[in-house]
Coordinates of all heavy atoms in Angstrom, one line a residue:
N143 N 92.7 52.9 100.4 CA 94.0 53.0 99.9 C 94.7 54.3 100.4 O 95.3 55.0 99.7 CB 94.0 53.0 98.4 CG 93.7 51.6 97.9 OD1 93.7 50.6 98.7 ND2 93.3 51.5 96.7
V144 N 94.6 54.6 101.7 CA 95.2 55.7 102.3 C 95.9 55.3 103.6 O 95.3 54.5 104.4 CB 94.1 56.8 102.7 CG1 94.6 57.9 103.5 CG2 93.4 57.3 101.4
I145 N 97.1 55.8 103.8 CA 97.7 55.6 105.1 C 98.0 57.0 105.8 O 98.1 58.0 105.1 CB 99.0 54.8 105.0 CG1 100.1 55.6 104.3 CG2 98.8 53.4 104.5 CD1 101.5 54.9 104.4
T146 N 97.9 57.0 107.1 CA 98.2 58.2 107.9 C 99.2 57.9 108.9 O 98.9 57.6 110.1 CB 96.9 58.7 108.5 OG1 96.3 57.6 109.3 CG2 95.9 59.2 107.5
P147 N 100.5 57.9 108.6 CA 101.6 57.5 109.5 C 101.6 58.3 110.8 O 102.1 57.8 111.8 CB 102.9 57.7 108.7 CG 102.5 57.9 107.3 CD 101.0 58.3 107.3
S148 N 101.2 59.6 110.8 CA 101.3 60.4 112.0 C 100.1 60.2 112.9 O 100.1 60.7 114.0 CB 101.3 61.9 111.6 OG 100.2 62.2 110.8
D149 N 99.2 59.3 112.6 CA 98.0 59.0 113.4 C 98.0 57.6 113.9 O 97.5 56.7 113.3 CB 96.7 59.3 112.6 CG 95.5 59.1 113.5 OD1 95.6 58.9 114.7 OD2 94.4 59.2 112.9
D150 N 98.7 57.4 115.1 CA 98.9 56.0 115.6 C 97.5 55.4 116.0 O 97.4 54.2 116.1 CB 99.8 56.0 116.8 CG 101.2 56.3 116.4 OD1 101.6 56.0 115.3 OD2 102.0 56.8 117.3
Q151 N 96.5 56.2 116.3 CA 95.2 55.7 116.8 C 94.3 55.2 115.6 O 93.4 54.5 115.9 CB 94.5 56.7 117.6 CG 95.3 57.0 118.9 CD 94.6 58.1 119.7 OE1 93.6 58.7 119.3 NE2 95.0 58.3 120.9
S152 N 94.7 55.6 114.4 CA 93.8 55.2 113.3 C 93.9 53.7 112.9 O 92.9 53.2 112.3 CB 94.1 56.0 112.1 OG 95.4 55.6 111.5
G153 N 95.0 53.1 113.3 CA 95.2 51.7 112.9 C 95.5 51.6 111.4 O 95.6 50.5 110.9
N154 N 95.7 52.7 110.8 CA 96.1 52.7 109.4 C 97.3 53.5 109.1 O 97.4 54.3 108.2 CB 94.9 53.3 108.6 CG 94.9 52.9 107.2 OD1 95.4 51.9 106.8 ND2 94.3 53.7 106.3
N155 N 98.3 53.3 110.0 CA 99.5 54.1 110.0 C 100.7 53.5 109.2 O 101.8 54.0 109.2 CB 99.9 54.6 111.4 CG 100.2 53.4 112.3 OD1 99.9 52.3 111.9 ND2 100.7 53.7 113.5
R156 N 100.5 52.3 108.6 CA 101.5 51.6 107.8 C 100.9 51.1 106.6 O 99.7 50.7 106.6 CB 102.1 50.5 108.6 CG 103.0 50.9 109.8 CD 103.5 49.7 110.4 NE 104.5 50.1 111.4 CZ 105.8 50.3 111.1 NH1 106.3 50.1 109.9 NH2 106.7 50.7 112.1
F157 N 101.7 51.0 105.5 CA 101.2 50.3 104.3 C 101.7 48.9 104.3 O 103.0 48.7 104.5 CB 101.6 51.0 103.0 CG 101.1 50.3 101.8 CD1 99.8 50.4 101.4 CD2 101.9 49.3 101.2 CE1 99.3 49.7 100.3 CE2 101.4 48.6 100.1 CZ 100.1 48.8 99.7
T158 N 100.9 47.9 104.2 CA 101.3 46.5 104.2 C 100.4 45.7 103.3 O 99.2 46.1 103.1 CB 101.5 45.9 105.6 OG1 102.1 44.7 105.5 CG2 100.1 45.8 106.2
V159 N 100.8 44.6 102.9 CA 99.9 43.6 102.2 C 99.3 42.7 103.3 O 100.0 42.2 104.1 CB 100.7 42.8 101.2 CG1 99.9 41.7 100.6 CG2 101.4 43.7 100.1
A160 N 98.0 42.7 103.3 CA 97.3 41.9 104.4 C 96.5 40.8 103.8 O 96.0 40.9 102.7 CB 96.4 42.9 105.2
I161 N 96.4 39.8 104.6 CA 95.5 38.7 104.2 C 94.2 38.9 105.0 O 94.2 39.1 106.2 CB 96.1 37.3 104.6 CG1 97.4 37.1 103.7 CG2 95.2 36.2 104.4 CD1 98.1 35.8 103.9
P162 N 93.1 38.8 104.3 CA 91.8 39.0 105.0 C 91.5 38.0 106.1 O 92.0 36.9 106.1 CB 90.7 38.7 103.9 CG 91.5 38.8 102.6 CD 92.9 38.4 102.9
P163 N 90.9 38.5 107.2 CA 90.6 37.6 108.3 C 89.8 36.4 107.8 O 88.9 36.5 107.0 CB 89.7 38.5 109.2 CG 90.0 39.9 108.8 CD 90.4 39.9 107.4
G164 N 90.1 35.3 108.4 CA 89.4 34.0 108.1 C 90.0 33.3 106.9 O 89.6 32.2 106.6
C165 N 90.9 33.9 106.2 CA 91.5 33.3 105.0 C 92.6 32.3 105.5 O 93.4 32.7 106.5 CB 92.2 34.3 104.1 SG 92.9 33.6 102.6
E166 N 92.7 31.2 105.0 CA 93.7 30.2 105.4 C 95.1 30.3 104.8 O 96.0 29.5 105.0 CB 93.2 28.8 105.1 CG 91.9 28.4 105.9 CD 91.4 27.1 105.6 OE1 92.1 26.2 105.0 OE2 90.2 26.8 106.0
A167 N 95.3 31.4 104.0 CA 96.6 31.6 103.4 C 97.6 32.2 104.3 O 97.2 33.0 105.2 CB 96.4 32.5 102.1
K168 N 98.8 31.9 104.1 CA 99.9 32.6 104.9 C 101.0 33.0 103.9 O 101.4 32.2 103.1 CB 100.5 31.6 105.9 CG 101.6 32.2 106.7 CD 102.2 31.2 107.8 CE 103.2 32.0 108.5 NZ 104.2 31.2 109.1
I169 N 101.5 34.2 104.1 CA 102.6 34.6 103.2 C 103.9 34.0 103.7 O 104.3 34.2 104.9 CB 102.7 36.2 103.2 CG1 101.4 36.8 102.6 CG2 103.9 36.6 102.4 CD1 101.3 38.3 102.7
L170 N 104.6 33.3 102.8 CA 105.9 32.7 103.2 C 107.1 33.6 102.8 O 108.0 33.7 103.6 CB 106.0 31.3 102.4 CG 105.0 30.3 102.7 CD1 105.2 29.1 101.8 CD2 105.0 29.9 104.2
Q171 N 107.0 34.1 101.6 CA 108.1 35.0 101.1 C 107.4 36.2 100.5 O 106.4 36.0 99.8 CB 109.0 34.3 100.1 CG 109.8 33.2 100.7 CD 110.6 32.5 99.6 OE1 110.2 32.5 98.4 NE2 111.8 32.0 99.9
M172 N 108.0 37.4 100.6 CA 107.5 38.6 100.0 C 108.5 39.6 99.7 O 109.4 39.8 100.6 CB 106.3 39.2 100.8 CG 105.8 40.4 100.1 SD 104.3 41.1 100.8 CE 104.8 41.4 102.5
N173 N 108.5 40.2 98.6 CA 109.3 41.4 98.3 C 108.3 42.5 98.0 O 107.6 42.5 97.0 CB 110.2 41.1 97.0 CG 111.1 42.2 96.8 OD1 111.1 43.3 97.4 ND2 111.9 42.1 95.7
L174 N 108.3 43.5 98.9 CA 107.4 44.6 98.8 C 108.2 45.9 98.4 O 109.2 46.2 99.1 CB 106.7 44.9 100.1 CG 105.8 46.2 100.2 CD1 104.7 46.1 99.2 CD2 105.3 46.4 101.6
R175 N 107.9 46.5 97.4 CA 108.5 47.7 96.9 C 107.5 48.9 96.8 O 106.4 48.7 96.3 CB 109.2 47.5 95.6 CG 110.3 46.6 95.6 CD 110.9 46.4 94.2 NE 112.0 45.5 94.3 CZ 112.8 45.2 93.2 NH1 112.5 45.7 92.0 NH2 113.8 44.4 93.4
I176 N 108.0 50.1 97.3 CA 107.1 51.2 97.2 C 107.9 52.3 96.5 O 109.1 52.6 96.8 CB 106.7 51.7 98.6 CG1 105.8 50.6 99.2 CG2 105.9 53.0 98.5 CD1 105.4 50.8 100.6
Y177 N 107.2 53.0 95.5 CA 107.8 54.0 94.7 C 107.1 55.3 94.8 O 105.8 55.3 95.0 CB 107.8 53.6 93.2 CG 108.5 52.3 92.9 CD1 107.8 51.1 93.0 CD2 109.8 52.3 92.6 CE1 108.4 49.9 92.7 CE2 110.5 51.1 92.3 CZ 109.8 49.9 92.3 OH 110.4 48.7 92.1
N178 N 107.8 56.4 94.7 CA 107.1 57.7 94.7 C 106.6 58.0 93.3 O 106.8 57.2 92.4 CB 108.0 58.8 95.2 CG 109.2 59.1 94.3 OD1 109.3 58.7 93.2 ND2 110.1 59.9 94.9
R179 N 106.0 59.1 93.1 CA 105.3 59.4 91.8 C 106.3 59.6 90.6 O 106.0 59.5 89.5 CB 104.4 60.7 91.9 CG 105.2 61.9 92.0 CD 104.3 63.2 91.8 NE 103.1 63.2 92.7 CZ 101.9 63.3 92.3 NH1 101.6 63.5 91.1 NH2 100.9 63.3 93.2
W180 N 107.6 59.7 90.9 CA 108.6 59.8 89.9 C 109.4 58.5 89.7 O 110.3 58.5 88.9 CB 109.6 60.9 90.3 CG 108.9 62.3 90.3 CD1 108.6 63.1 89.2 CD2 108.4 62.9 91.5 NE1 107.9 64.2 89.7 CE2 107.8 64.1 91.1 CE3 108.4 62.6 92.8 CZ2 107.2 65.0 91.9 CZ3 107.8 63.5 93.7 CH2 107.2 64.7 93.3
G181 N 108.9 57.5 90.3 CA 109.4 56.1 90.1 C 110.7 55.8 90.9 O 111.3 54.8 90.7
M182 N 111.0 56.6 91.9 CA 112.1 56.4 92.8 C 111.7 55.4 93.9 O 110.6 55.6 94.5 CB 112.6 57.7 93.4 CG 113.8 57.5 94.3 SD 114.5 59.0 94.9 CE 113.4 59.3 96.3
L183 N 112.5 54.4 94.1 CA 112.2 53.4 95.2 C 112.4 54.1 96.5 O 113.5 54.6 96.8 CB 113.1 52.2 95.0 CG 113.0 51.1 96.0 CD1 111.6 50.4 95.8 CD2 114.1 50.1 95.9
V184 N 111.3 54.1 97.3 CA 111.4 54.7 98.7 C 111.4 53.7 99.8 O 111.7 54.0 100.9 CB 110.3 55.8 98.9 CG1 110.5 57.0 97.9 CG2 108.9 55.2 98.8
H185 N 111.0 52.5 99.5 CA 111.0 51.4 100.5 C 111.0 50.1 99.8 O 110.4 49.8 98.8 CB 109.7 51.5 101.3 CG 109.6 50.4 102.3 ND1 110.2 50.4 103.5 CD2 108.8 49.2 102.3 CE1 109.9 49.3 104.2 NE2 109.1 48.6 103.4
E186 N 111.8 49.2 100.4 CA 111.8 47.8 99.9 C 112.0 46.9 101.1 O 112.8 47.1 102.0 CB 113.0 47.5 99.0 CG 113.0 46.1 98.5 CD 114.0 45.8 97.4 OE1 115.0 46.5 97.3 OE2 113.8 44.9 96.6
S187 N 111.2 45.8 101.2 CA 111.3 44.8 102.2 C 111.2 43.5 101.6 O 110.4 43.2 100.8 CB 110.1 45.0 103.2 OG 110.1 43.9 104.1
K188 N 112.1 42.6 102.1 CA 112.1 41.2 101.6 C 111.7 40.3 102.8 O 111.9 39.1 102.7 CB 113.4 40.8 101.1 CG 113.8 41.6 99.8 CD 115.1 41.2 99.2 CE 115.3 42.0 97.9 NZ 116.5 41.7 97.3
D189 N 111.2 40.9 103.9 CA 110.8 40.1 105.1 C 109.3 40.0 105.1 O 108.6 41.0 105.3 CB 111.3 40.8 106.3 CG 111.1 40.1 107.6 OD1 110.4 39.1 107.6 OD2 111.6 40.6 108.6
A190 N 108.7 38.8 105.0 CA 107.3 38.6 105.0 C 106.7 39.0 106.4 O 105.5 39.2 106.5 CB 106.9 37.2 104.6
D191 N 107.5 39.0 107.4 CA 107.0 39.2 108.8 C 107.1 40.7 109.1 O 106.7 41.1 110.2 CB 107.7 38.4 109.8 CG 107.4 36.9 109.6 OD1 106.3 36.6 109.2 OD2 108.4 36.1 109.8
Q192 N 107.7 41.5 108.3 CA 107.8 42.9 108.6 C 106.5 43.6 108.6 O 105.6 43.3 107.7 CB 108.8 43.6 107.6 CG 109.0 45.1 108.0 CD 109.7 45.9 106.9 OE1 109.4 45.7 105.7 NE2 110.6 46.8 107.3
P193 N 106.2 44.6 109.5 CA 104.9 45.2 109.5 C 104.5 46.2 108.4 O 103.5 46.7 108.4 CB 104.9 45.9 110.9 CG 106.3 46.2 111.1 CD 107.1 45.0 110.5
G194 N 105.4 46.4 107.5 CA 105.1 47.3 106.3 C 105.8 48.6 106.4 O 106.7 48.8 107.2
W195 N 105.4 49.5 105.5 CA 106.1 50.8 105.4 C 105.5 51.8 106.3 O 104.3 52.0 106.3 CB 106.0 51.3 103.9 CG 106.8 52.6 103.7 CD1 108.1 52.8 104.1 CD2 106.3 53.7 103.0 NE1 108.4 54.1 103.6 CE2 107.4 54.7 103.0 CE3 105.1 54.1 102.4 CZ2 107.3 55.9 102.4 CZ3 105.0 55.3 101.8 CH2 106.1 56.2 101.8
N196 N 106.3 52.5 107.1 CA 105.8 53.5 108.1 C 105.8 54.9 107.5 O 105.5 55.8 108.3 CB 106.7 53.4 109.3 CG 108.1 53.8 109.1 OD1 108.5 54.1 107.9 ND2 108.9 53.8 110.1
G197 N 106.0 55.1 106.2 CA 105.9 56.4 105.7 C 107.2 57.2 105.8 O 107.1 58.5 105.6
E198 N 108.3 56.6 106.1 CA 109.5 57.3 106.1 C 110.5 56.9 105.0 O 110.4 55.8 104.5 CB 110.2 57.0 107.5 CG 109.5 57.6 108.7 CD 110.3 57.5 110.0 OE1 111.4 57.0 110.0 OE2 109.7 57.9 111.0
Y199 N 111.3 57.8 104.6 CA 112.3 57.6 103.6 C 113.7 58.1 104.2 O 113.8 59.2 104.5 CB 112.0 58.3 102.3 CG 113.1 58.2 101.3 CD1 113.4 56.9 100.7 CD2 113.8 59.3 100.8 CE1 114.4 56.8 99.7 CE2 114.8 59.1 99.9 CZ 115.1 57.9 99.3 OH 116.1 57.7 98.4
K200 N 114.6 57.1 104.4 CA 115.9 57.4 105.0 C 115.8 58.1 106.3 O 116.5 59.1 106.6 CB 116.8 58.2 104.0 CG 117.1 57.5 102.8 CD 118.1 58.2 101.9 CE 118.5 57.4 100.7 NZ 119.4 58.1 99.8
G201 N 114.8 57.7 107.1 CA 114.6 58.2 108.5 C 113.9 59.5 108.6 O 113.7 60.1 109.6
T202 N 113.4 60.0 107.4 CA 112.6 61.3 107.4 C 111.2 61.0 106.9 O 111.1 60.2 106.0 CB 113.4 62.3 106.4 OG1 114.7 62.4 106.9 CG2 112.7 63.6 106.4
P203 N 110.2 61.7 107.5 CA 108.9 61.5 107.0 C 108.8 61.8 105.5 O 109.2 62.9 105.0 CB 108.0 62.5 107.8 CG 108.8 62.7 109.0 CD 110.3 62.6 108.6
A204 N 108.2 60.9 104.7 CA 108.0 61.1 103.3 C 106.9 62.1 103.1 O 106.0 62.2 103.9 CB 107.7 59.8 102.6
P205 N 106.9 62.8 102.0 CA 105.8 63.8 101.8 C 104.4 63.2 101.5 O 104.4 62.1 101.0 CB 106.3 64.6 100.6 CG 107.3 63.8 99.9 CD 107.9 62.9 100.9
A206 N 103.4 63.9 101.9 CA 102.0 63.5 101.5 C 102.0 63.5 100.0 O 102.3 64.4 99.4 CB 101.0 64.5 102.1
D207 N 101.5 62.3 99.5 CA 101.5 62.2 98.0 C 100.9 60.8 97.7 O 100.5 60.1 98.6 CB 103.0 62.2 97.5 CG 103.1 62.7 96.1 OD1 102.0 62.7 95.4 OD2 104.1 63.2 95.7
T208 N 100.9 60.5 96.4 CA 100.4 59.2 95.9 C 101.7 58.4 95.7 O 102.6 58.8 95.1 CB 99.6 59.4 94.7 OG1 98.5 60.2 95.0 CG2 99.1 58.1 94.2
Y209 N 101.6 57.1 96.1 CA 102.7 56.2 95.9 C 102.2 54.9 95.2 O 101.0 54.6 95.3 CB 103.3 55.8 97.3 CG 104.0 57.0 98.0 CD1 103.2 57.9 98.7 CD2 105.3 57.1 97.8 CE1 103.9 59.0 99.3 CE2 106.0 58.2 98.4 CZ 105.2 59.1 99.1 OH 105.8 60.2 99.7
T210 N 103.1 54.2 94.5 CA 102.8 53.0 93.8 C 103.5 51.9 94.6 O 104.6 52.0 95.1 CB 103.4 53.0 92.4 OG1 102.8 54.2 91.7 CG2 103.0 51.8 91.6
W211 N 102.8 50.7 94.7 CA 103.4 49.6 95.3 C 103.4 48.4 94.4 O 102.6 48.3 93.5 CB 102.7 49.3 96.7 CG 101.3 48.8 96.5 CD1 100.2 49.7 96.4 CD2 100.8 47.5 96.4 NE1 99.1 48.9 96.3 CE2 99.4 47.6 96.3 CE3 101.4 46.3 96.4 CZ2 98.6 46.5 96.1 CZ3 100.6 45.1 96.3 CH2 99.2 45.3 96.1
Q212 N 104.4 47.5 94.7 CA 104.4 46.2 94.0 C 104.9 45.1 95.0 O 105.8 45.3 95.7 CB 105.5 46.3 92.8 CG 105.7 45.0 92.1 CD 106.8 45.0 91.1 OE1 107.8 45.7 91.4 NE2 106.7 44.3 90.0
A213 N 104.2 44.0 95.0 CA 104.5 42.9 95.9 C 104.6 41.6 95.0 O 103.7 41.3 94.3 CB 103.5 42.8 97.0
V214 N 105.7 40.9 95.2 CA 105.8 39.6 94.6 C 106.0 38.6 95.8 O 106.8 38.9 96.7 CB 107.1 39.5 93.7 CG1 107.3 38.1 93.2 CG2 107.0 40.5 92.6
Y215 N 105.2 37.6 95.9 CA 105.1 36.7 97.1 C 104.8 35.3 96.7 O 104.3 35.0 95.7 CB 104.1 37.3 98.1 CG 102.7 37.5 97.5 CD1 101.8 36.5 97.7 CD2 102.4 38.6 96.8 CE1 100.5 36.6 97.2 CE2 101.1 38.8 96.3 CZ 100.2 37.8 96.5 OH 98.9 37.9 96.0
R216 N 105.1 34.4 97.7 CA 104.7 33.0 97.7 C 103.8 32.8 98.9 O 104.1 33.4 100.0 CB 105.9 32.1 97.7 CG 106.5 31.9 96.4 CD 107.6 30.9 96.6 NE 107.6 30.3 97.9 CZ 108.2 29.1 98.2 NH1 108.8 28.4 97.3 NH2 108.2 28.6 99.4
I217 N 102.8 31.9 98.8 CA 101.9 31.7 99.9 C 101.8 30.2 100.2 O 102.2 29.4 99.4 CB 100.5 32.2 99.7 CG1 99.8 31.5 98.5 CG2 100.5 33.7 99.5 CD1 98.4 31.8 98.3
S218 N 101.3 29.9 101.4 CA 100.9 28.6 101.8 C 99.4 28.6 102.0 O 98.9 29.5 102.7 CB 101.7 28.2 103.1 OG 101.1 27.0 103.7
L219 N 98.7 27.7 101.5 CA 97.3 27.6 101.6 C 96.9 26.3 102.2 O 97.2 25.2 101.7 CB 96.6 27.8 100.2 CG 95.1 27.9 100.2 CD1 94.6 29.0 101.0 CD2 94.6 28.0 98.8
S220 N 96.3 26.4 103.4 CA 95.9 25.2 104.2 C 97.1 24.3 104.4 O 97.0 23.1 104.3 CB 94.8 24.5 103.5 OG 93.7 25.3 103.4
G221 N 98.3 24.9 104.6 CA 99.5 24.1 104.9 C 100.3 23.6 103.7 O 101.3 23.0 103.8
R222 N 99.7 23.8 102.5 CA 100.4 23.4 101.3 C 101.0 24.6 100.6 O 100.3 25.6 100.3 CB 99.3 22.8 100.4 CG 99.9 22.1 99.1 CD 98.9 21.4 98.3 NE 99.1 21.7 96.9 CZ 98.3 22.3 96.1 NH1 97.1 22.7 96.5 NH2 98.7 22.6 94.9
T223 N 102.3 24.5 100.4 CA 103.0 25.7 99.7 C 102.7 25.7 98.2 O 102.7 24.6 97.6 CB 104.5 25.5 99.9 OG1 104.8 25.5 101.3 CG2 105.3 26.7 99.2
I224 N 102.3 26.8 97.7 CA 102.0 26.9 96.3 C 103.3 27.4 95.7 O 103.9 28.5 96.0 CB 100.9 27.9 96.1 CG1 99.6 27.4 96.7 CG2 100.7 28.2 94.6 CD1 98.5 28.4 96.7
E225 N 103.9 26.6 94.8 CA 105.2 26.8 94.2 C 105.1 27.7 93.0 O 105.5 27.4 91.9 CB 105.9 25.5 93.8 CG 106.2 24.6 95.0 CD 107.2 25.3 96.0 OE1 108.1 26.1 95.5 OE2 107.2 25.0 97.2
R226 N 104.6 28.9 93.2 CA 104.4 29.9 92.1 C 104.4 31.2 92.7 O 103.9 31.5 93.8 CB 103.0 29.6 91.4 CG 102.7 30.6 90.4 CD 101.5 30.1 89.6 NE 100.2 30.6 90.0 CZ 99.7 31.8 89.7 NH1 100.4 32.7 89.0 NH2 98.5 32.2 90.1
S227 N 105.1 32.2 92.1 CA 105.1 33.5 92.5 C 103.8 34.3 92.1 O 103.4 34.1 91.0 CB 106.3 34.3 92.0 OG 107.5 33.8 92.6
F228 N 103.3 35.1 93.0 CA 102.2 35.9 92.7 C 102.7 37.4 92.7 O 103.6 37.7 93.4 CB 101.1 35.8 93.7 CG 100.5 34.4 93.8 CD1 101.0 33.4 94.5 CD2 99.3 34.1 93.0 CE1 100.4 32.1 94.6 CE2 98.7 32.9 93.1 CZ 99.3 31.9 93.8
S229 N 102.1 38.2 91.9 CA 102.5 39.6 91.8 C 101.2 40.5 91.8 O 100.3 40.2 91.1 CB 103.3 39.8 90.5 OG 103.7 41.2 90.4
R230 N 101.3 41.5 92.7 CA 100.2 42.4 92.8 C 100.8 43.8 92.8 O 101.9 44.0 93.3 CB 99.3 42.2 94.0 CG 98.7 40.9 94.1 CD 97.5 40.8 93.1 NE 96.8 39.6 93.3 CZ 97.0 38.5 92.5 NH1 97.9 38.5 91.6 NH2 96.2 37.4 92.7
S231 N 100.0 44.8 92.4 CA 100.5 46.2 92.4 C 99.3 47.1 92.5 O 98.2 46.7 92.3 CB 101.3 46.5 91.2 OG 100.6 46.4 90.0
G232 N 99.6 48.3 92.9 CA 98.5 49.3 93.0 C 99.0 50.6 93.5 O 100.3 50.9 93.5
M233 N 98.1 51.5 93.9 CA 98.5 52.8 94.4 C 97.8 53.1 95.7 O 96.8 52.5 96.0 CB 98.1 53.9 93.3 CG 98.7 53.7 92.0 SD 98.1 54.9 90.8 CE 98.5 56.4 91.4
F234 N 98.4 54.0 96.5 CA 97.8 54.5 97.7 C 98.2 55.9 98.0 O 99.2 56.4 97.4 CB 98.1 53.6 98.9 CG 99.6 53.6 99.3 CD1 100.0 54.4 100.3 CD2 100.5 52.7 98.7 CE1 101.3 54.5 100.7 CE2 101.8 52.7 99.1 CZ 102.2 53.6 100.1
T235 N 97.6 56.6 98.9 CA 97.9 57.9 99.2 C 98.4 58.0 100.6 O 97.8 57.4 101.5 CB 96.6 58.8 99.0 OG1 96.2 58.7 97.7 CG2 96.9 60.3 99.3
L236 N 99.4 58.8 100.8 CA 100.0 59.0 102.2 C 99.5 60.4 102.6 O 99.7 61.4 101.8 CB 101.5 58.9 102.2 CG 102.2 59.1 103.5 CD1 103.5 58.3 103.5 CD2 102.5 60.5 103.8
I237 N 98.8 60.5 103.7 CA 98.3 61.8 104.2 C 99.0 62.1 105.5 O 99.1 61.2 106.4 CB 96.8 61.7 104.5 CG1 96.1 61.5 103.1 CG2 96.3 63.0 105.1 CD1 94.6 61.3 103.3
R238 N 99.4 63.3 105.7 CA 100.1 63.8 106.9 C 99.2 64.7 107.7 O 98.4 65.4 107.2 CB 101.4 64.5 106.6 CG 102.4 63.6 106.0 CD 103.6 63.4 106.9 NE 104.4 62.4 106.4 CZ 104.8 61.3 107.1 NH1 104.4 61.2 108.3 NH2 105.6 60.4 106.5

């Protein structure tokens, strides 16, 4: 649960919701929100194909800190759309 936006070689330079390899699920719709420790929204994406948060807020690198995330999404499993919203949340650390 750590991202390092300044390290392009780590492969861990963005925060995103990922589906494990080999899983037949596909994200159809997603609303991803990321908040700083004071509850201020620093990132929101409603695009399921977006690669995630790059650690910037309004074009400036966000400070190293702990952030909270929330994702609400719909998935397709083996080609069948599940008509229910799923919600997950958690925390991660941004390191510079």
Side-chain angles (χ1 to χ4, degrees):
N143 291 341
V144 173
I145 66 167
T146 53
S148 56
D149 185 3
D150 288 335
Q151 295 179 350
S152 72
N154 202 27
N155 56 353
R156 290 182 171 273
F157 179 83
T158 189
V159 175
I161 294 180
C165 181
E166 296 180 14
K168 179 180 183 207
I169 297 174
L170 300 175
Q171 294 177 328
M172 179 171 56
N173 184 358
L174 173 65
R175 293 179 177 182
I176 298 176
Y177 301 90
N178 67 13
R179 73 170 53 232
W180 297 279
M182 184 176 78
L183 182 67
V184 296
H185 176 80
E186 181 174 28
S187 171
K188 294 182 180 181
D189 184 356
D191 295 323
Q192 187 192 35
W195 185 48
N196 64 358
E198 292 187 2
Y199 176 65
K200 294 185 178 182
T202 304
D207 208 340
T208 301
Y209 292 83
T210 302
W211 64 273
Q212 177 187 34
V214 177
Y215 56 94
R216 278 185 8 160
I217 64 170
S218 170
L219 185 58
S220 300
R222 187 175 138 239
T223 301
I224 297 175
E225 296 296 331
R226 176 169 93 83
S227 290
F228 295 88
S229 179
R230 299 285 183 267
S231 61
M233 297 173 65
F234 67 93
T235 302
L236 184 149
I237 297 175
R238 296 245 170 236

